[in-house]
Amino acid sequence: MNQSPLPFVELMPLSYAADLIKLLERWVDIGWLRALDKVFVIFLYELDPQADPLVLLAAAFTSYQLSYGHVCLDLLETLNAPNFAVSLTSVGDQQAYAVLLPSQLLNGLDYSKWHHALGSSRLVELSANDNSSKSAQSRPLVLSGKRLYLRRYWTYERRVDTALRLRIASQKIVPADLPQRLNNMFNQSLPSGVIDWQKLACAIATCSSFSVITGGPGTGKTTIVVRLLALLQEPAVKAGSPLRIRLAAPTGKAAACLAKSISQQLNSLNVSLSIRESITTQVTTIHRLLGSYPNTRHFRHNISNPLLLDMLVVDEASMIDLEMMANLLDALPSYARLVLLGDKYQLASVEAGAVFSNLCRDAEADGYSPATCQWLQAISGKDFSINDLQEYFTANYSLAQQVIMLRYSRRFSEISGIGQLAFWVNQQNVEEACKLLVTHSHKDLFYLRLKNEHDDAFIRLVIDGHNDKIYGYRYYLSLLHSTRPALDTSCDDIAWIHWAQQLLYSFDAFRLLCVVRKGSWGVEQLNLRITTALRKLRLITGNKQWYEGRPVLITSNDYCLGLMNGDIGIALKLPESGCDLQVLRVAFPRNNGQAGVRFVLPSRLNDIETAYAMTVHKSQGSEFAHTALILPDTLHSVLTKELIYTGITRAKHWFSLIEPRSGIFEEAIRRKVKRVSGLMLELSATPNKTY
């Protein structure tokens, strides 16, 4: 193949198409592209042997963007920075491998020529076309403006766009006594000049078919949910037809946390017993809610078989990818309310798309129209202009009227180190964030700079924490032995359940979070190191894979056992009925808000891994008393300020940052997740509605 950096457009299309595939194979070999992307291009080439190489190259880039979480390929951005379309770390890679760069292939290419080549291809459909012919509808690529999609993801985005437009345009009847009932629900005092965003969020959600509530830890998202459900259920219960309400979350762990929070909030809710009993504490995963069919992308509940409910509340919505959101909206009846909860600053979904982030794009500005502002003032009985807060209400499109951002954190005070660190990381203020860590001015923040890969300070922190109150893993393992029921305790005795509950709770006193899975500072190696260290200290015994005290993480949904991806259990020795032997079983929380425990034989568990260390992605929806985040010693594509923020906000009382090499933390804060999508562009154009 000709290795000279000729402008791509000067090369002969037919002869170069085959050469392009050979080049893509080379990119796959050196890790710049996935094998899947190359196979997709070969598939397109077989569909159309006359295909312009420009189209095939764009298809390879578009397919690869999914691995970065992008829904589509932005042609203009790709021309401005072609090398970012593949996993190219530096131009020096090209010299080492003697292979053409994307920038060399696209050298001198004009956007209009690339757009024309795509628009005239038999492989590409123009989204503006109303052509419903079978040939057009079966084309594998879709071009919408400057964005190129794989058809499947373009279809997902259209389904989400259509469903949300219909919901945004729909309104619910405003109860005449809503202001009075809101005042009864939200009677807590706030600092002077602070808007009660919880109250406003509840007002908007009460009168909307669709609403989005975003806020950081401690801002009261669960408080809003319980009060919102009470506000809606009260008139329904009095009318003799309680609302059918379902609660869901993306993972089992997130579902368990929501169930626990709602159960606690219900106990303090000032409503009648009948209203309280009508509010469910059962939270399920989205997969289980929709009824997923194993090993397929299909669900039992869909547009033809919608869910039987009147209202759906989804927590940790930032974790929902575009495909899942499309399926969820398809299965939702047109008359049902939908409330999405989450933190817009957290990591986006693992799969492609960032729907929640798209929806919350303007949340900080609170783009409420003057009409919405006046309505909120009337409902809340508060004149915002008196406190010079009119600046929040500026925009005039409908989506903005459905989004509420909570600002006042009840978990992290102004003097909290964790709260300040999360704020400065969000602001990408490297200087202030580093100052908080290295000055040791806050008792809830700790910074550990390792001397080398074998620095024992890391193991000491993980096992012993910082002192008797700031725990490591010794804490739960010590309780395992010191609180075990007596040997002669019957296997049916409730003491074993209480013991398991205590250990599951104490295991959440500390957690080590990692950025990556592979390498010296990845999940796999660190789990091995920690296991070895615990054995040396005789905190765990035995050299086999299974041992008492082993924490395990479920890595894929198991519907037969009722265990979901993200569930964590602990292996414990329990008495066997009818004999004197003790058998190893894994204790899992029941995730139903009732603090139950279930025991499963290890032999029945398939997709699991040891859980001393887990990725930040897997930790979403969880919180731990003491959280330690260990960074890798080299920069990775996933290292961004969103990942750092998510790791920090998993900490409830103490946060430790561990750096094998200085500078990684600073570089991570400077980087920001950017996911290409057309969803927000369309929704922002939706005309405003009036309350």
Side-chain angles (χ1 to χ4, degrees):
M1 181 172 58
N2 185 1
Q3 294 292 327
S4 61
L6 292 174
F8 190 95
V9 291
E10 292 182 6
L11 298 168
M12 292 296 293
L14 288 178
S15 63
Y16 195 75
D19 288 340
L20 173 64
I21 292 174
K22 291 180 181 178
L23 177 62
L24 297 183
E25 289 176 349
R26 186 81 179 102
W27 285 0
V28 171
D29 291 340
I30 60 181
W32 291 0
L33 213 61
R34 301 176 303 174
L36 176 65
D37 309 318
K38 180 203 69 176
V39 171
F40 178 59
V41 171
I42 293 174
F43 165 73
L44 296 180
Y45 186 44
E46 291 173 349
L47 286 179
D48 182 12
Q50 307 298 319
D52 191 322
L54 283 172
V55 174
L56 298 179
L57 184 64
F61 288 161
T62 304
S63 177
Y64 186 70
Q65 297 316 294
L66 296 174
S67 67
Y68 281 139
H70 301 305
V71 173
C72 54
L73 178 76
D74 188 306
L75 299 177
L76 277 176
E77 287 193 9
T78 302
L79 287 175
N80 291 334
N83 291 340
F84 284 98
V86 297
S87 184
L88 176 67
T89 55
S90 71
V91 178
D93 288 351
Q94 182 260 351
Q95 298 172 347
Y97 296 111
V99 63
L100 282 172
L101 295 168
S103 58
Q104 291 174 306
L105 286 177
L106 298 178
N107 180 33
L109 178 63
D110 182 70
Y111 166 73
S112 60
K113 291 183 179 180
W114 202 7
H115 192 278
H116 176 74
L118 289 163
S120 57
S121 172
R122 294 193 303 168
L123 299 170
V124 181
E125 178 188 347
L126 297 178
S127 67
N129 284 351
D130 292 327
N131 186 355
S132 59
S133 68
K134 184 176 180 181
S135 61
Q137 292 299 313
S138 62
R139 292 178 181 179
L141 299 170
V142 177
L143 184 63
S144 178
K146 64 174 184 174
R147 304 185 304 276
L148 182 66
Y149 294 81
L150 301 188
R151 167 168 290 281
R152 181 153 59 92
Y153 285 89
W154 179 81
T155 303
Y156 291 149
E157 193 168 273
R158 293 305 91 217
R159 282 160 56 188
V160 170
D161 174 82
T162 301
L164 291 183
R165 281 175 181 270
L166 291 173
R167 292 189 176 281
I168 289 170
S170 175
Q171 283 185 252
K172 300 293 185 180
I173 298 174
V174 181
D177 61 346
L178 180 59
Q180 178 183 347
R181 291 199 288 133
L182 278 171
N183 289 334
N184 292 337
M185 286 287 181
F186 296 91
N187 54 12
Q188 71 270 35
S189 60
L190 291 174
S192 177
V194 175
I195 294 179
D196 192 346
W197 290 104
Q198 289 187 355
K199 186 176 181 180
L200 298 187
C202 223
I204 289 177
T206 302
C207 307
S208 307
S209 293
F210 171 67
S211 51
V212 179
I213 302 173
T214 181
T219 52
K221 297 187 290 294
T222 308
T223 300
I224 291 174
V225 170
V226 174
R227 282 156 177 73
L228 174 62
L229 298 182
L231 282 169
L232 295 173
Q233 278 288 32
E234 186 174 9
V237 169
K238 288 180 179 178
S241 55
L243 296 176
R244 296 168 297 177
I245 297 172
R246 298 295 300 273
L247 308 175
T251 67
K253 186 65 175 179
C257 289
L258 179 61
K260 180 179 178 181
S261 297
I262 288 181
S263 296
Q264 292 172 344
Q265 289 285 337
L266 270 178
N267 294 330
S268 61
L269 195 61
N270 185 25
V271 295
S272 66
L273 180 61
S274 61
I275 302 300
R276 190 177 294 123
E277 290 178 342
S278 71
I279 298 175
T280 180
T281 59
Q282 301 291 320
V283 186
T284 184
T285 63
I286 298 175
H287 277 83
R288 173 163 288 191
L289 175 74
L290 297 180
S292 65
Y293 291 117
N295 304 317
T296 74
R297 310 182 89 98
H298 304 295
F299 296 90
R300 185 173 69 255
H301 291 290
N302 49 48
I303 197 167
S304 301
N305 180 30
L307 293 159
L308 297 176
L309 51 78
D310 299 304
M311 181 177 182
L312 175 63
V313 178
V314 183
D315 196 16
E316 298 293 343
S318 62
M319 300 168 65
I320 306 176
D321 59 80
L322 179 66
E323 179 180 0
M324 181 55 72
M325 185 64 78
N327 289 323
L328 183 64
L329 291 171
D330 281 350
L332 204 60
S334 59
Y335 55 81
R337 300 174 189 265
L338 174 63
V339 180
L340 300 179
L341 307 174
D343 186 344
K344 72 185 288 278
Y345 295 120
Q346 276 191 195
L347 281 168
S349 58
V350 176
E351 302 298 329
V355 179
F356 192 79
S357 178
N358 291 157
L359 297 176
C360 297
R361 187 191 67 181
D362 299 322
E364 278 182 304
D366 293 302
Y368 301 138
S369 67
T372 302
C373 180
Q374 292 172 8
W375 181 82
L376 288 173
Q377 289 182 127
I379 287 293
S380 65
K382 187 177 182 65
D383 186 356
F384 301 125
S385 59
I386 292 177
N387 294 314
D388 198 26
L389 295 170
Q390 192 72 31
E391 61 184 276
Y392 288 121
F393 309 99
T394 56
N396 196 36
Y397 60 90
S398 284
L399 174 61
Q401 317 310 306
Q402 317 300 128
V403 180
I404 309 98
M405 183 169 181
L406 308 176
R407 292 168 172 77
Y408 183 71
S409 176
R410 291 159 177 80
R411 181 186 301 177
F412 303 131
S413 66
E414 292 183 359
I415 60 173
S416 159
I418 295 174
Q420 289 185 54
L421 183 62
F423 173 80
W424 291 124
V425 167
N426 253 335
Q427 298 297 312
Q428 296 185 283
N429 191 319
V430 175
E431 182 179 351
E432 291 295 336
C434 291
K435 187 189 299 182
L436 276 175
L437 285 171
V438 301
T439 57
H440 304 288
S441 56
H442 293 272
K443 293 182 179 180
D444 57 347
L445 293 178
F446 306 93
Y447 173 71
L448 176 60
R449 168 75 170 85
L450 300 180
K451 299 174 183 177
N452 53 57
E453 187 176 330
H454 305 288
D455 192 339
D456 288 340
F458 160 70
I459 290 296
R460 288 196 298 271
L461 184 150
V462 170
I463 294 178
D464 294 319
H466 290 285
N467 54 47
D468 292 339
K469 295 182 179 179
I470 306 174
Y471 307 118
Y473 287 132
R474 184 189 293 273
Y475 174 64
Y476 95 94
L477 289 169
S478 297
L479 285 177
L480 185 153
H481 299 291
S482 64
T483 62
R484 179 195 299 277
L487 289 176
D488 58 354
T489 304
S490 168
C491 64
D492 298 323
D493 198 303
I494 195 68
W496 295 107
I497 298 289
H498 291 161
W499 178 57
Q501 288 175 335
Q502 181 183 13
L503 294 177
L504 287 167
Y505 177 79
S506 62
F507 183 63
D508 282 346
F510 174 74
R511 195 61 44 83
L512 177 67
L513 304 183
C514 306
V515 174
V516 294
R517 293 192 54 80
K518 305 290 184 180
S520 300
W521 307 107
V523 168
E524 295 175 1
Q525 288 297 317
L526 290 177
N527 272 321
L528 288 173
R529 286 184 62 184
I530 295 169
T531 301
T532 300
L534 292 173
R535 280 200 172 106
K536 286 183 178 179
L537 293 170
R538 301 189 65 79
L539 290 171
I540 58 176
T541 58
N543 295 318
K544 296 181 179 179
Q545 178 188 20
W546 283 103
Y547 53 85
E548 187 172 40
R550 182 191 179 192
V552 293
L553 172 73
I554 302 295
T555 57
S556 65
N557 295 338
D558 188 328
Y559 296 99
C560 294
L561 293 177
L563 296 173
M564 299 293 111
N565 186 0
D567 285 353
I568 289 180
I570 299 176
L572 302 173
K573 287 182 179 179
L574 301 167
E576 186 74 356
S577 178
C579 65
D580 296 331
L581 296 176
Q582 287 194 328
V583 178
L584 206 62
R585 296 181 185 271
V586 184
F588 289 94
R590 285 197 176 273
N591 295 344
N592 59 2
Q594 305 302 318
V597 175
R598 59 179 308 189
F599 299 102
V600 181
L601 284 170
S603 59
R604 299 191 65 192
L605 300 175
N606 296 314
D607 299 320
I608 59 169
E609 60 185 30
T610 302
Y612 294 118
M614 61 192 297
T615 61
V616 176
H617 278 91
K618 288 286 188 182
S619 74
Q620 290 189 88
S622 304
E623 63 179 24
F624 314 104
H626 176 201
T627 301
L629 173 63
I630 186 164
L631 303 181
D633 54 2
T634 58
L635 281 173
H636 288 259
S637 58
V638 296
L639 257 177
T640 61
K641 66 110 171 174
E642 287 84 0
L643 183 138
I644 301 295
Y645 170 85
T646 303
I648 293 169
T649 53
R650 298 312 90 204
K652 193 172 183 179
H653 301 302
W654 304 282
F655 174 75
S656 297
L657 181 76
I658 307 169
E659 261 194 314
R661 180 172 72 80
S662 61
I664 299 295
F665 178 69
E666 293 95 316
E667 286 301 316
I669 295 175
R670 293 188 179 100
R671 301 164 68 178
K672 185 177 181 180
V673 169
K674 181 180 181 182
R675 292 199 166 178
V676 180
S677 163
L679 181 63
M680 190 61 188
L681 300 175
E682 303 292 343
L683 287 171
S684 294
T686 307
N688 189 27
K689 77 175 184 181
T690 303
Y691 278 94

